[in-house]
Amino acid sequence: MTRTLCSALPTHARTGPVTVAGWIHRRRQLANVTFVVLRDRSGLAQIVVTEPQVREQVSRLPEETVVRVTGTASANAKAPGGVEIIDPTVHALSAPAEPTPVELWRPALGVGLPTALDHAAITWRHPARQAVWQIAAASLAGFRRHLDGAGFTEVTTPKIVGGSTESGANVFALDYFGKTAYLAQSPQLYKQMLTGVFERVYEVGPVFRAEPHDTARHLAEYVSLDVEFGFVDDHRDVLALLRTVLAAMVDAIREKAGAAVETIGVELPVVPERIPVVHFEEALELVGARPTEPDLAPEHERFLGKWAKERFDSDFLAVEGYPAVKRPFYTHPQPGDARWTNSFDLLFRGLELVTGGQRLHNHADYLTALAARGADPAEYAPYLEAMRHGMPPHGGFAIGLERWVARVIEAGNVREATLFPRDIHRLHP
Amino acid sequence: MTRTLCSALPTHARTGPVTVAGWIHRRRQLANVTFVVLRDRSGLAQIVVTEPQVREQVSRLPEETVVRVTGTASANAKAPGGVEIIDPTVHALSAPAEPTPVELWRPALGVGLPTALDHAAITWRHPARQAVWQIAAASLAGFRRHLDGAGFTEVTTPKIVGGSTESGANVFALDYFGKTAYLAQSPQLYKQMLTGVFERVYEVGPVFRAEPHDTARHLAEYVSLDVEFGFVDDHRDVLALLRTVLAAMVDAIREKAGAAVETIGVELPVVPERIPVVHFEEALELVGARPTEPDLAPEHERFLGKWAKERFDSDFLAVEGYPAVKRPFYTHPQPGDARWTNSFDLLFRGLELVTGGQRLHNHADYLTALAARGADPAEYAPYLEAMRHGMPPHGGFAIGLERWVARVIEAGNVREATLFPRDIHRLHP
């Protein structure tokens, strides 16, 4: 008999026998009846066991054992979905499960983050945890769907690279057949080279940062949603595309992970028609920092996040014009004042979520920028080759998937939105 | 004025001025006229320059310079798409391009693979090269679209891992904050753990093999299309899903990369309604190998590929039942005869493309399998935790993206289908 998903049971009420399969999420053995709540990828279903022989069988199948159940779907307003299964036969598909390190049937996990992460393969089974990742998966789908529709080409670029991407700091080194290689900190140089090929490219892939930070928002490996495209006027075109990408991601969450949003009780952000923008110089004034500060501190970002919410009723705020001294060599200067750049950070609920901007596109400008930093152009030869042979004005951005999801669900720690996080202390599971 | 893509020019003929933008693909300066072929992400367009001042301007813009051109679209049966642009004004968007290492306007690249790879950022601009990657990108889209529609959840798993995935051989090691870590050879253990969470998962991501092979089909880093799902009866269910995935990938190529297929002149494979299957034991007989051979050699695979074509008119052949001794510890044995396994290799045009099968799902069976190999269960503790607490019968497979594309386009070398290949000799660009 074909399997019915728990979520589809209501359409099967009183139509004859149905078969469901999944994990025994909860088992309650009362005096004359055993209630089993079954969990599958679609949700939960209640099974009512009264037949003594089946009750005896179920008594030997602890929670998390995997079973297939055939019975009759029967309306019961008190059951999840308004339907339960009665008169079941039960077939165990796994050996009886051993007691889990956390009780997954409880409404909340009720353990600290380190314990949850130590037992990630089990704790992600909890419906409230599953829901977090369903939001992540929907975000990925929305990101790609929007860009596919806008003429972008998906690319995949190497994660083992011969030189560090942006600076020599915080890279993981490895032995590569006797040579030293590095794990890519970003696909930045490759996505620019490929903008010279396909005009519009995106990549979803891991990036690696050997940053010895032990904070709630840093990971040593995370998923970067990278976009780069040509024929822009300046960074404002990049910000405009970013706005539509974020809106598409929110739409996809609503559409594909609506149940997850309800399970967690998330209020989805509204991406405004125009994301408010302040210049870095103005941002420093707003937060009361000295005008020579080269960067915004986390508390500045939080302040600006609140300010944008109050002033523009926006969860998003773009800070443009970041000082050239703090931006990578490929950043395009602000026309007329090279202290500043055509780049931005996007703050989402007071936390930096995206860095983007316009890049240099002429070979001579790259040579000047590298010389100003004392960098050797020879180290960037294959990249500079693209610039030497005709590149359009271009720009792009990168969204950190886990940060995005953590902010959407208002989690305090980015690790809550990461299936198997990697940080300075954590290499397992 | 908004930009029109070259491919959309025919709809603009004689409707007033149009603006196109892209690379000067080819420039021919005749006595009284200059022809410019412009290349953008959609294709080519011809521009006819007769005005002396514009001709003089264009004489200073070599091929690959990026320009914006405004003029009148005018029907001309001899021009690409039947429309050319006349009376143009030209605005350079990049500095004049330096001469490229290969002439991109020629119908074929006309250089050897090493040269093409050395200058990848330039050579991928060639329309015939672009087409190869458009087939790759369409394949990715088709893979995901099919699985999204079949209730799968996309996951992302760590590429830095604390232990080697399947065996200690051929892994890249790195220093991870003072500990030794490895680059994941596959997401195998993680995708199984997540099958315990989401039932059906897939991942598209890089995998790393420190194999010192220097062959036309090995890469040190490639893109793996990984699938794993629960509630299977055996490996035949896995093969049935694989069939639908491959058919969806071919459909997506046809739909999204039709022009690329035409450019290269590819004959797309037909995925049969049922992929023919031979048992490993029978395959040895067919190729005339000794019945104790534990594996198929490349020449055996080629022979079987031809045999399947002749016998079943199929580009695909599954060889099932591979000897347990050559399969990883998690492989499910063939019921009734544990010499063999519930696993398969899928040959595509005589080359191994996919490995898949059913996995063990009970904790006790894992302990037995690891003990038989002298492996320490403690090294697999987080993975075994999933098995300890209820896992459905499950299986999956992995498709190598580059191998897939190389076979589709009938390229002799997998590097032809890789944007920036990594191998024992190549770490740049």
Side-chain angles (χ1 to χ4, degrees):
Chain A
M1 186 180 307
T2 55
R3 175 183 172 204
T4 299
L5 290 177
C6 291
S7 62
L9 268 187
T11 63
H12 286 264
R14 265 166 277 136
T15 59
V18 290
T19 295
V20 293
W23 288 257
I24 295 181
H25 187 62
R26 179 61 168 143
R27 183 185 61 175
R28 284 185 302 138
Q29 307 182 81
L30 308 184
N32 297 308
V33 60
T34 298
F35 290 102
V36 169
V37 177
L38 188 88
R39 186 184 75 240
D40 70 13
R41 69 177 189 267
S42 76
L44 305 174
Q46 179 164 285
I47 295 150
V48 185
V49 190
T50 50
E51 218 265 301
Q53 207 178 325
V54 180
R55 292 191 68 204
E56 200 279 323
Q57 179 195 10
V58 169
S59 75
R60 286 175 282 109
L61 303 177
E63 276 133 11
E64 291 308 303
T65 303
V66 181
V67 295
R68 187 171 61 223
V69 176
T70 300
T72 305
S74 169
N76 176 352
K78 285 180 187 165
V83 174
E84 63 189 7
I85 292 179
I86 58 173
D87 300 329
T89 59
V90 176
H91 175 75
L93 295 173
S94 75
E98 296 181 30
T100 48
V102 295
E103 288 177 316
L104 295 172
W105 55 267
R106 292 191 184 276
L109 261 187
V111 295
L113 188 57
T115 302
L117 298 180
D118 286 344
H119 303 284
I122 303 304
T123 52
W124 276 108
R125 294 184 186 180
H126 191 282
R129 294 292 291 146
Q130 281 195 40
V132 171
W133 188 258
Q134 278 149 5
I135 287 172
S139 300
L140 290 173
F143 175 82
R144 290 198 198 92
R145 183 171 63 183
H146 182 73
L147 294 169
D148 287 343
F152 280 74
T153 299
E154 179 173 5
V155 298
T156 67
T157 67
K159 304 310 158 201
I160 300 179
V161 294
S164 61
T165 310
E166 303 185 11
S167 72
N170 297 335
V171 293
F172 291 109
L174 68 145
D175 175 72
Y176 186 81
F177 302 116
K179 301 188 199 80
T180 299
Y182 306 93
L183 292 184
Q185 292 169 298
S186 88
Q188 180 65 35
L189 308 190
Y190 290 100
K191 68 178 181 174
Q192 287 186 255
M193 290 153 83
L194 291 169
T195 295
V197 176
F198 301 109
E199 284 188 31
R200 310 185 142 210
V201 298
Y202 71 85
E203 178 169 16
V204 174
V207 298
F208 306 92
R209 306 281 170 100
E211 293 180 26
H213 297 303
D214 188 12
T215 78
R217 62 186 201 168
H218 285 95
L219 295 167
E221 174 179 350
Y222 67 89
V223 176
S224 183
L225 280 56
D226 265 278
V227 170
E228 196 79 14
F229 64 117
F231 302 98
V232 303
D233 284 335
D234 60 23
H235 62 293
R236 289 292 186 102
D237 284 346
V238 179
L239 183 60
L241 178 74
L242 172 58
R243 193 206 75 77
T244 62
V245 167
L246 293 173
M249 289 167 72
V250 174
D251 287 347
I253 295 172
R254 194 175 289 114
E255 175 193 325
K256 294 169 184 280
V261 168
E262 241 176 81
T263 298
I264 311 181
V266 174
E267 199 185 331
L268 288 179
V270 176
V271 183
E273 277 305 306
R274 283 199 49 170
I275 291 176
V277 183
V278 294
H279 194 278
F280 185 84
E281 209 172 5
E282 189 189 345
L284 287 181
E285 262 184 60
L286 281 167
V287 303
R290 287 174 309 156
T292 53
E293 278 293 325
D295 211 345
L296 295 172
E299 62 269 24
H300 295 152
E301 296 182 357
R302 281 192 293 273
F303 178 93
L304 290 167
K306 278 184 200 149
W307 177 79
K309 189 73 187 169
E310 283 163 19
R311 175 76 176 274
F312 304 104
D313 191 28
S314 174
D315 285 331
F316 298 90
L317 176 70
V319 181
E320 69 177 1
Y322 270 72
V325 65
K326 291 296 280 186
R327 290 306 216 200
F329 68 89
Y330 50 74
T331 311
H332 197 289
Q334 178 176 312
D337 192 343
R339 279 179 305 165
W340 313 117
T341 60
N342 272 3
S343 75
F344 61 82
D345 272 12
L346 182 73
L347 308 185
F348 174 36
R349 295 178 174 163
L351 186 70
E352 178 214 318
L353 175 69
V354 185
T355 295
Q358 185 186 359
R359 331 297 187 182
L360 298 173
H361 61 280
N362 280 321
H363 188 238
D365 295 333
Y366 274 92
L367 296 184
T368 306
L370 288 169
R373 280 164 165 85
D376 180 4
E379 282 184 24
Y380 297 92
Y383 169 67
L384 295 179
E385 188 176 47
M387 310 301 165
R388 195 192 291 270
H389 303 295
M391 278 291 285
H394 64 282
F397 55 83
I399 307 171
L401 174 65
E402 298 85 349
R403 274 197 190 184
W404 161 253
V405 176
R407 284 289 84 192
V408 167
I409 64 168
E410 307 201 47
N413 194 310
V414 69
R415 289 162 186 76
E416 294 180 47
T418 311
L419 287 173
F420 300 99
R422 292 289 176 263
D423 62 32
I424 188 167
H425 301 299
R426 186 171 288 278
L427 186 52
H428 298 277
Chain B
M1 187 179 308
T2 55
R3 174 185 173 204
T4 298
L5 290 177
C6 291
S7 61
L9 269 187
T11 63
H12 288 265
R14 266 165 274 136
T15 59
V18 290
T19 296
V20 293
W23 289 257
I24 295 182
H25 186 62
R26 179 61 168 143
R27 184 185 61 175
R28 282 183 305 139
Q29 307 182 81
L30 308 184
N32 298 306
V33 61
T34 298
F35 291 103
V36 169
V37 177
L38 189 87
R39 186 185 74 239
D40 69 12
R41 70 177 189 268
S42 75
L44 305 173
Q46 179 165 284
I47 295 149
V48 184
V49 191
T50 50
E51 217 266 299
Q53 208 179 325
V54 181
R55 292 189 69 204
E56 200 280 320
Q57 180 195 9
V58 169
S59 74
R60 286 176 281 109
L61 303 177
E63 277 134 9
E64 291 308 303
T65 303
V66 181
V67 295
R68 188 171 60 223
V69 176
T70 300
T72 304
S74 170
N76 176 352
K78 287 180 188 166
V83 174
E84 62 190 9
I85 293 178
I86 57 173
D87 301 329
T89 59
V90 175
H91 176 74
L93 295 173
S94 75
E98 296 181 30
T100 47
V102 295
E103 289 178 314
L104 295 172
W105 56 267
R106 292 192 183 275
L109 261 186
V111 294
L113 188 57
T115 302
L117 299 179
D118 286 345
H119 303 284
I122 303 304
T123 53
W124 276 109
R125 294 184 187 181
H126 191 283
R129 294 292 292 147
Q130 282 194 40
V132 172
W133 188 258
Q134 278 150 3
I135 287 172
S139 299
L140 289 174
F143 175 82
R144 290 198 197 92
R145 184 172 62 183
H146 182 72
L147 294 170
D148 287 344
F152 280 74
T153 299
E154 179 174 3
V155 298
T156 67
T157 67
K159 304 308 159 202
I160 300 178
V161 294
S164 61
T165 309
E166 303 185 11
S167 73
N170 298 336
V171 292
F172 290 109
L174 68 145
D175 175 72
Y176 187 81
F177 302 117
K179 298 187 202 81
T180 298
Y182 306 94
L183 293 184
Q185 292 169 297
S186 89
Q188 180 64 35
L189 308 189
Y190 291 99
K191 69 178 181 173
Q192 287 187 255
M193 290 153 85
L194 291 169
T195 295
V197 175
F198 300 109
E199 284 188 31
R200 308 183 142 212
V201 299
Y202 71 86
E203 176 168 17
V204 173
V207 298
F208 307 91
R209 306 280 170 101
E211 293 180 26
H213 297 304
D214 188 13
T215 78
R217 63 186 201 167
H218 285 95
L219 295 168
E221 175 179 348
Y222 67 88
V223 176
S224 183
L225 281 56
D226 265 277
V227 169
E228 195 80 13
F229 64 117
F231 301 99
V232 301
D233 284 335
D234 60 25
H235 63 292
R236 289 291 186 103
D237 284 346
V238 178
L239 182 61
L241 178 74
L242 171 58
R243 194 205 75 78
T244 63
V245 167
L246 293 173
M249 289 166 72
V250 173
D251 287 347
I253 294 172
R254 194 175 288 113
E255 174 193 325
K256 294 169 185 281
V261 168
E262 242 176 79
T263 298
I264 311 181
V266 173
E267 198 187 330
L268 289 179
V270 175
V271 183
E273 278 304 307
R274 283 198 51 169
I275 291 177
V277 183
V278 293
H279 194 279
F280 185 83
E281 210 172 5
E282 189 190 344
L284 288 182
E285 261 184 60
L286 281 167
V287 303
R290 287 176 309 157
T292 53
E293 278 293 325
D295 211 345
L296 295 172
E299 62 269 24
H300 295 152
E301 295 182 358
R302 281 193 293 274
F303 178 92
L304 290 167
K306 278 183 201 149
W307 176 78
K309 190 70 186 170
E310 284 162 20
R311 174 78 177 273
F312 303 107
D313 192 28
S314 173
D315 285 332
F316 299 90
L317 175 71
V319 181
E320 69 178 1
Y322 270 72
V325 64
K326 291 296 281 186
R327 290 307 216 200
F329 68 89
Y330 49 74
T331 310
H332 197 289
Q334 179 177 312
D337 191 344
R339 280 179 306 165
W340 311 117
T341 60
N342 272 2
S343 75
F344 61 83
D345 272 12
L346 183 73
L347 309 185
F348 174 36
R349 294 177 175 164
L351 186 71
E352 178 213 319
L353 175 70
V354 185
T355 295
Q358 185 186 359
R359 330 297 188 184
L360 298 173
H361 62 279
N362 281 320
H363 188 239
D365 295 332
Y366 274 92
L367 296 185
T368 306
L370 288 168
R373 281 164 165 83
D376 180 3
E379 281 184 24
Y380 296 93
Y383 170 66
L384 294 179
E385 189 176 47
M387 309 302 164
R388 193 191 292 269
H389 303 295
M391 279 291 284
H394 64 282
F397 57 83
I399 306 170
L401 174 65
E402 298 85 350
R403 274 197 189 184
W404 161 253
V405 176
R407 286 288 85 194
V408 167
I409 64 168
E410 308 202 46
N413 195 311
V414 69
R415 288 161 187 77
E416 294 180 47
T418 311
L419 287 172
F420 301 99
R422 292 289 177 263
D423 62 32
I424 187 168
H425 301 300
R426 186 170 290 277
L427 186 53
H428 299 276

